[in-house]
Amino acid sequence: MSHPTSTAVSRTNSGGYKTSGGTLYVSKPYRSKSSKTLRALITFAPRKSHFDSTNELSGENEFRGFFSLFWISIFIFTVRVYVRGIESNGRPLNLAFATMFSQDLLTLAISDAVLVLSTSLCVPFAFALHKRWINYYWTGLVLQHIYQTAVLVAAIIWTFNRKWPWVQSGFLTLHSLVMIMKMHSYMSVNGHLQQSEMQSELVLRKLRRATDSVGGWEAALRDAKVHQLEAKAAVDIGVLSPEGTPIAGTPNVPEDSTSSYTDVATANALRRRLAEVSQTTEGNISVAKIQTGKTSETHTDTHFVPHGLVDHPDEQISELAREYSDLQSELTSLGPLHVTWPNNMTLENFVIYQLMPTLVYELEYPRTERIRPIYVFEKTAATFGTFALLYTVTETFILPYTPTYNSSILRLLLDLALPFMIAYLLLFFIIFGQSL
C-alpha cells in the first residue's frame, strides 16, 4: 500500500496535517468577540474507524465489496446452520454452550461484582497520594503492585475452589486481568500527577526566589504585563507574525475534536515544524484539505491560562514560568469541563472511567454534544448480532471438537482452524469495531 504523497503547505484560514492517529489543525491568528487577545487554536480530530458508518471515506474504500461479501457469506452460513439444526434436532441450536456457561451463574455474578467493587479502593489510594500520606515513588508503587497481585491471585484461587468449567474460570480470570489493567492505569496516572504537582511547587519556589532580583513578585508581574503588551503590539503590526491580518471570531473546528489555545509565536513554530516533517517523511504526515468558511463562536474561551510571568523580559524568570505552566497544564484536562487534579478523586469520576471502554485513565473523556439514538441502536444491534454469530460458531464448530486424550493433533488443527479464525474475526469486530 503506497503512502500519500506530501504536498506543500498552503495558506488557508486554518491548516491541517494528517497523522496516523488523526488530523492536527493549526489556525491563523484570530481575536474572539469575548477577548481582544490575539491567539491561535490548535485542534486534533481523531481518525474515525473504517467500520464507523459516519466515516465518509469508508464508502470510497476499494475493498468495500469484499467486506460486504464477507458478511453476506456469514449470513448464508448461519442460516444454513440453523436450518440443519431444525431438521436434525427440532431447534436451531442445542444451547449446550449456554447451559455450560449458566452453571453456578449466581455465584459467578456475585464473584464478578465483588471483583469490580474491589477496584474502588483505588480512589482512597489516590486520595492518600493527594494528602501526601504516601509518596508514589516508591511506597505507592509497591502498594499498587501488591494490591494488583493480590486481586489476580484471589481470582485464580477462587476459580479453583469453585471447580468451575473452563468457561467460568476463563471469564473471571480474564476479567480480573482487565480490572487490574484499569487499576494500574488509574493509580499510575494519579501517581504521576502527584509528582507533577510536587515538581510544580518546587519550580514555583524557584520562581519566587528568582523574582527577588528584579524587585519582587509584584514588580515582576508588572514588568511581564508591560512586556506582553509590547509583544502584542508588535504582533499587531506584523513584526512577529507572518500570518498577515488576523481573522475575527473563533475558527470552525471539526466535530468530535479536541482543541486548545496557544500564543501566536508557538502556533507559528508548530506550523513550520509540521510543514518540515511533512516534506521530509515522504508523506507520512501530509497536509489535509480544510474547509474554510464563516467563523463561529461555538468554541468557548475557557482554557488553561499560562502563568503571567511567561512574558517577563528576564530569560530565567520566563523559562521558570513556562516550566511551571507546563506542569500545571498536566494537572488539567483538555475537555470542556477542564477537570483539575485532585478534583477527579471522586467515586463518580471512577465509575465513569470503569464504564468507558478503555484501559487508559484520563481526567476527562471526550463526549459528543448529544446522544445519537440511531448510532446507539446501530452499535447495539451490531454487537448483539455479532455475538449471536460468535455463539453459533463456537457451539456448532468448536465445542464438538474438544480435544480428548486419543485425539489426533493434525486432525484437530484441520477441524478447528477455520472456526477459530472466524471466531477471532468476529471477536475482534465486537471489541474494536463496536465497543471501542
Side-chain angles (χ1 to χ4, degrees):
M1 183 180 295
S2 59
H3 293 289
T5 57
S6 61
T7 59
V9 180
S10 59
R11 295 296 182 187
T12 58
N13 284 342
S14 58
Y17 301 85
K18 287 183 178 179
T19 67
S20 58
T23 305
L24 185 67
Y25 301 88
V26 185
S27 75
K28 286 183 64 177
Y30 75 97
R31 288 188 180 93
S32 65
K33 293 180 180 179
S34 60
S35 174
K36 298 303 181 183
T37 303
L38 195 62
R39 65 179 70 179
L41 184 66
I42 298 177
T43 303
F44 179 77
R47 179 181 62 84
K48 290 185 177 180
S49 168
H50 289 293
F51 298 115
D52 196 334
S53 60
T54 61
N55 188 352
E56 300 84 0
L57 298 178
S58 296
E60 303 174 4
N61 194 301
E62 58 186 352
F63 294 104
R64 182 176 178 83
F66 287 97
F67 301 153
S68 301
L69 181 62
F70 170 80
W71 287 112
I72 293 173
S73 303
I74 291 294
F75 174 76
I76 296 174
F77 171 77
T78 305
V79 171
R80 174 179 174 272
V81 170
Y82 290 165
V83 170
R84 293 188 60 181
I86 293 174
E87 291 176 347
S88 58
N89 303 318
R91 53 185 179 181
L93 299 171
N94 57 26
L95 301 180
F97 188 48
T99 303
M100 180 188 301
F101 188 82
S102 60
Q103 179 180 336
D104 207 9
L105 184 60
L106 180 60
T107 304
L108 178 62
I110 295 174
S111 303
D112 192 58
V114 171
L115 170 65
V116 174
L117 291 175
S118 68
T119 62
S120 61
L121 293 177
C122 294
V123 178
F125 174 85
F127 185 77
L129 294 177
H130 165 57
K131 291 297 184 180
R132 309 286 174 85
W133 294 338
I134 58 174
N135 198 332
Y136 185 69
Y137 294 107
W138 296 93
T139 305
L141 192 63
V142 171
L143 292 176
Q144 170 186 331
H145 284 84
I146 290 176
Y147 178 52
Q148 292 172 180
T149 304
V151 170
L152 180 60
V153 171
I156 295 176
I157 292 177
W158 181 245
T159 58
F160 277 101
N161 177 267
R162 298 300 304 178
K163 297 181 180 179
W164 280 328
W166 64 270
V167 181
Q168 288 88 334
S169 300
F171 167 78
L172 190 64
T173 302
L174 290 177
H175 198 200
S176 66
L177 290 174
V178 172
M179 292 295 102
I180 287 171
M181 287 187 281
K182 273 185 168 285
M183 291 190 297
H184 179 85
S185 180
Y186 183 87
M187 292 188 283
S188 297
V189 169
N190 281 281
H192 170 74
L193 294 178
Q194 181 205 44
Q195 299 303 306
S196 296
E197 185 184 54
M198 295 170 62
Q199 182 66 21
S200 69
E201 293 172 357
L202 177 62
V203 173
L204 182 60
R205 289 195 293 269
K206 292 181 179 179
L207 181 61
R208 289 187 177 276
R209 288 195 298 267
T211 58
D212 292 340
S213 61
V214 294
W217 185 261
E218 296 299 329
L221 287 174
R222 288 193 297 271
D223 293 342
K225 185 66 175 179
V226 172
H227 189 262
Q228 181 189 39
L229 294 175
E230 294 174 352
K232 287 180 180 179
V235 170
D236 288 344
I237 62 176
V239 174
L240 296 180
S241 173
E243 296 297 324
T245 304
I247 59 178
T250 307
N252 281 327
V253 296
E255 186 181 359
D256 301 332
S257 60
T258 302
S259 300
S260 61
Y261 298 89
T262 187
D263 58 273
V264 175
T266 301
N268 290 338
L270 176 61
R271 189 183 292 106
R272 287 193 296 268
R273 176 58 180 160
L274 289 172
E276 292 173 0
V277 174
S278 176
Q279 295 171 358
T280 58
T281 56
E282 298 181 355
N284 289 330
I285 297 181
S286 59
V287 180
K289 294 181 180 179
I290 311 300
Q291 284 190 343
T292 59
K294 296 181 180 180
T295 57
S296 65
E297 286 294 332
T298 57
H299 224 67
T300 60
D301 282 349
T302 56
H303 63 287
F304 176 79
V305 179
H307 195 276
L309 291 178
V310 296
D311 296 307
H312 197 277
D314 185 277
E315 184 177 349
Q316 180 188 7
I317 294 177
S318 62
E319 182 63 30
L320 286 171
R322 278 192 291 270
E323 183 180 355
Y324 175 76
S325 298
D326 291 340
L327 289 169
Q328 284 293 305
S329 66
E330 291 185 19
L331 303 177
T332 305
S333 67
L334 297 177
L337 298 180
H338 297 284
V339 179
T340 302
W341 193 86
N343 296 331
N344 63 304
M345 296 177 191
T346 62
L347 283 175
E348 179 185 1
N349 179 275
F350 185 75
V351 169
I352 291 175
Y353 166 57
Q354 288 285 51
L355 295 175
M356 288 290 176
T358 179
L359 298 177
V360 180
Y361 176 70
E362 299 284 352
L363 293 175
E364 183 183 357
Y365 292 94
R367 303 285 188 90
T368 56
E369 295 182 356
R370 60 183 179 83
I371 297 176
R372 297 168 290 178
I374 296 179
Y375 183 82
V376 173
F377 173 77
E378 174 193 336
K379 292 295 183 180
T380 303
T383 299
F384 285 98
T386 308
F387 182 81
L389 295 176
L390 179 62
Y391 179 89
T392 301
V393 171
T394 302
E395 181 176 282
T396 309
F397 299 100
I398 294 180
L399 287 183
Y401 299 97
T402 302
T404 59
Y405 71 95
N406 59 349
S407 300
S408 169
I409 296 179
L410 181 60
R411 181 60 184 270
L412 285 175
L413 289 175
L414 292 174
D415 291 335
L416 295 175
L418 185 59
F420 264 110
M421 183 179 67
I422 295 176
Y424 285 141
L425 288 174
L426 296 176
L427 187 60
F428 183 91
F429 179 71
I430 291 174
I431 295 175
F432 297 101
Q434 305 303 317
S435 300
L436 298 182

